Amino acid sequence: MTSKVFWLRCETKEFEHRSALTPSTAEQLINDGFTIYVERDQQRIFDDEEFEKVGCKLVPNSSWPSAPLDIPIIGLKELPPSNDPLPHTHIQFAHCYKGQAGWSSVLSRFQRGGGTLYDLEFLTDATGRRVAAFGFHAGFAGAAVGALALASQEQGEKLGLLKPYPNETAMVEHVRAALGGSGKGVRALVIGALGRCGRGAVDLFRKIGLDEDDILKWDMAETAKGGPFEELLGVDIFVNCIYLSSEIPHFLTKQQLEAAGVQRKLSVVVDVSCDTTNPFNPLPIYDVNTTFAEPTVPADVSQGLPLSVVSIDHLPTLLPREASEQFSSDLLPSLKEFPQRETARVWTDAKKLFDSKVAEAVADLAGA
């Protein structure tokens, strides 16, 4: 058994307010015998004092590179771009296992430094289901941003800066107000509607007042025929909530948009899945991630309604406290097993995947 300790690093991604550990989950780990170091972070939704109050040891912001090498570093989003070798063990979302841009360079940092990556996206239970995911809040927030983008577009404006909400109720009230009091009359289609993310999107649309018949819920049965799908052109908002693991037919194409012309109703595409740089991206109508400061990017259409695309890759941070509490609570049982990571299945499987991806990265860089 290895030491029972974690180092919670700060998040450096702009507008990222979530946390992999919360004061409540940190307290449970401490009660289980863990030592928890927490980097001071004014951007995090939880105050430093909330962690200190439950017994965490506060350390300077972004000081993890100087932490002892036997202390695992836990965070959420990817590390800042760098070529420096990584000698620590990291638990985080790295976005480098599915051929994303720069994937081999990211993994080579671990290979050169002797460190290990346990990617949060690939921690799964015995059935293959992720042990913890932000899916529901990603879908919920994505649908909200889509509705806000539609409201702005109908006013002849572009959606501006997004700011986090204290809770779901505040978000719903804001979206309803932007739509004139209710979303009634808006028509939306969600692909991946039976998953965590899709259920979140459907829940938001219901809460802002869309009629049930105006929420089209698609999953594997509806997409089995293969795209592109003409049905997407007949709704106001399309929300993509799939988990992409291999190449699939495109859902929507530039040629399809051009052919529809002025008959197209579709005004907003929300790509919650956000596989922007994935070579198998099923939405080749845009090629850039959007941000909280610039939530939408226009799709290139020559006629008809404007078409806005939302492709923010950390949507749940619009509900940072609720999303963090849910995710961290789901992750907690696996974190308690981390000292037994040489034998605990969730961690041994993640390590095997890391080793195989590092081998692929080394081969990719050698052939570059």
Side-chain angles (χ1 to χ4, degrees):
M1 178 184 295
T2 56
S3 300
K4 302 175 77 170
V5 58
F6 288 114
W7 184 293
L8 177 65
R9 64 171 172 82
C10 63
E11 299 294 330
T12 57
K13 188 179 182 72
E14 191 175 20
F15 302 112
E16 182 54 76
H17 304 287
R18 293 172 296 167
S19 179
L21 295 180
T22 69
S24 61
T25 55
E27 183 177 26
Q28 292 180 66
L29 287 169
I30 291 169
N31 290 341
D32 205 45
F34 283 78
T35 299
I36 307 295
Y37 295 93
V38 175
E39 292 185 355
R40 296 181 181 275
D41 187 2
Q42 293 186 341
Q43 183 170 286
R44 189 186 293 129
I45 187 62
F46 304 99
D47 293 335
D48 296 339
E49 291 72 23
E50 293 182 70
F51 285 101
E52 189 173 38
K53 185 177 180 180
V54 301
C56 298
K57 301 179 185 295
L58 297 184
V59 292
N61 184 286
S62 297
S63 57
W64 64 264
S66 61
L69 295 183
D70 61 346
I71 298 181
I73 312 300
I74 185 169
L76 283 181
K77 299 303 288 184
E78 61 272 18
L79 296 170
S82 170
N83 288 321
D84 293 341
L86 292 170
H88 288 90
T89 292
H90 286 262
I91 304 169
Q92 65 177 71
F93 291 103
H95 305 296
C96 61
Y97 280 7
K98 296 191 289 185
Q100 297 97 325
W103 70 275
S104 55
S105 296
V106 172
L107 286 168
S108 76
R109 296 181 63 192
F110 290 95
Q111 188 266 335
R112 289 183 285 114
T116 301
L117 168 65
Y118 291 96
D119 196 306
L120 290 166
E121 184 178 349
F122 298 92
L123 299 182
T124 58
D125 62 20
T127 69
R129 183 177 174 82
R130 290 170 62 180
V131 299
F134 284 102
F136 182 87
H137 288 98
F140 195 93
V145 177
L148 291 173
L150 179 67
S152 294
Q153 194 164 296
E154 289 178 343
Q155 295 297 319
E157 301 173 353
K158 182 179 180 180
L159 182 61
L161 176 67
L162 299 173
K163 295 182 179 180
Y165 297 87
N167 51 55
E168 287 184 8
T169 299
M171 174 181 277
V172 169
E173 290 176 350
H174 180 228
V175 175
R176 291 181 71 107
L179 291 169
S182 170
K184 188 176 179 63
V186 173
R187 192 166 173 82
L189 190 152
V190 179
I191 293 185
L194 298 182
R196 288 167 167 147
C197 181
R199 291 199 303 271
V202 169
D203 189 45
L204 182 283
F205 285 136
R206 285 173 176 153
K207 287 179 176 175
I208 64 172
L210 270 69
D211 290 333
E212 195 68 26
D213 289 345
D214 285 334
I215 308 173
L216 306 185
K217 310 169 193 70
W218 281 27
D219 209 85
M220 294 180 69
E222 291 78 10
T223 59
K225 62 185 180 181
F229 301 113
E230 293 299 315
E231 293 91 338
L232 301 182
L233 302 172
V235 298
D236 299 291
I237 304 172
F238 161 49
V239 185
N240 176 35
C241 293
I242 71 161
Y243 182 80
L244 184 66
S245 58
S246 60
E247 186 173 10
I248 59 175
H250 293 151
F251 291 166
L252 190 65
T253 66
K254 292 180 180 179
Q255 295 82 358
Q256 190 182 6
L257 295 173
E258 286 301 314
V262 297
Q263 302 301 316
R264 171 179 50 83
K265 184 178 183 183
L266 180 65
S267 299
V268 178
V269 172
V270 183
D271 191 5
V272 180
S273 302
C274 220
D275 291 296
T276 313
T277 65
N278 190 311
F280 302 143
N281 180 12
L283 293 172
I285 62 169
Y286 77 101
D287 58 6
V288 61
N289 282 350
T290 61
T291 66
F292 278 37
E294 296 284 343
T296 64
V297 61
D300 184 14
V301 291
S302 61
Q303 54 184 325
L305 296 169
L307 178 59
S308 299
V309 178
V310 176
S311 57
I312 299 172
D313 67 2
H314 59 141
L315 283 163
T317 201
L318 279 175
L319 292 167
R321 185 172 289 269
E322 290 173 72
S324 296
E325 290 287 10
Q326 172 260 309
F327 180 86
S328 194
S329 294
D330 289 348
L331 184 61
L332 183 61
S334 297
L335 291 178
K336 288 184 176 181
E337 290 185 333
F338 194 73
Q340 295 86 39
R341 59 185 176 275
E342 299 299 327
T343 56
R345 189 206 52 77
V346 66
W347 298 108
T348 58
D349 284 0
K351 177 61 162 59
K352 290 175 185 175
L353 181 60
F354 166 72
D355 289 340
S356 70
K357 293 297 180 180
V358 165
E360 291 177 20
V362 170
D364 181 73
L365 291 170

